[in-house]
Amino acid sequence: MQLAYVMTADRGATDRLLSAVAEALEARGVPLAGVVQTNVDCERGGRCDMDLRILPAGGTIRISQSLGRGARGCRLDTAALEDAVARVEAALADARAPELVIVNKFGKHEADGRGFRPVIGEALARGVPVLTGVNGMNEAGFVEFSGGVAERLPAELEAVVNWVEHVRSGSDAA
């Protein structure tokens, strides 16, 4: 199983890293599927909007919803998330199979068995490597999901791209 993840401490840093990885790999011509997240700043001091860019070229979906000032509930638009999941599933089944699936985050939905979890499982079953971001709150759920075989990568562009090139080469030695 070729499953790797990155973790960062700074808010939004994992999103920026995975977006940079996708851009670097696209520039090299690596066939990708999945999603990367862009956080769009809202009003000063407000919460950001969360957009997913569908890889390879499937547009952008806003997965956050505005709940109004002072709202404390979950802002995730689950219908939009499931739309993104369906688009990635379609890309994974495409005749031009990807060589890597990137999932912006293994979050609460994935830890609970929803969201991109089935996509990750399908990609791995097809032999397609998967790269995702994980935060501290969901790391235990991710490790359990992966059976402890996922590789934690340094949160550095070069290290992640090197891992991708390594798994693409089919080499068994790290």
Side-chain angles (χ1 to χ4, degrees):
M1 178 175 356
Q2 296 168 323
L3 176 61
Y5 68 107
V6 294
M7 294 180 67
T8 62
D10 297 335
R11 184 178 178 94
T14 300
D15 298 326
R16 291 187 297 275
L17 173 62
L18 292 177
S19 290
V21 168
E23 289 173 16
L25 295 172
E26 287 171 324
R28 293 179 182 200
V30 177
L32 301 175
V35 292
V36 291
Q37 183 171 321
T38 302
N39 299 315
V40 181
D41 289 331
C42 293
E43 63 207 49
R44 189 177 199 107
R47 301 177 99 180
C48 64
D49 289 325
M50 299 176 293
D51 294 338
L52 292 182
R53 180 169 68 97
I54 310 299
L55 302 171
T60 301
I61 297 175
R62 174 141 303 151
I63 61 166
S64 58
Q65 53 188 332
S66 177
L67 300 177
R69 235 183 233 293
R72 295 189 182 271
C74 178
R75 297 180 321 118
L76 180 65
D77 181 339
T78 56
L81 177 68
E82 292 306 321
D83 181 24
V85 168
R87 291 187 194 195
V88 174
E89 286 174 332
L92 188 59
D94 191 299
R96 297 162 298 176
E99 292 182 19
L100 176 72
V101 171
I102 300 175
V103 174
N104 69 302
K105 177 172 50 176
F106 186 95
K108 183 177 181 341
H109 268 62
E110 288 74 21
D112 290 343
R114 299 184 309 266
F116 283 98
R117 186 176 179 139
V119 171
I120 294 169
E122 179 63 23
L124 294 171
R126 291 175 180 245
V128 179
V130 177
L131 171 66
T132 190
V134 178
N135 65 30
M137 293 187 319
N138 296 305
E139 186 177 19
F142 177 74
V143 170
E144 179 182 331
F145 164 74
S146 73
V149 300
E151 183 177 351
R152 183 173 174 175
L153 302 175
E156 301 165 356
L157 178 61
E158 185 176 348
V160 176
V161 170
N162 286 341
W163 177 82
V164 172
E165 292 300 340
H166 170 76
V167 297
R168 287 181 69 220
S169 74
S171 176
D172 288 333

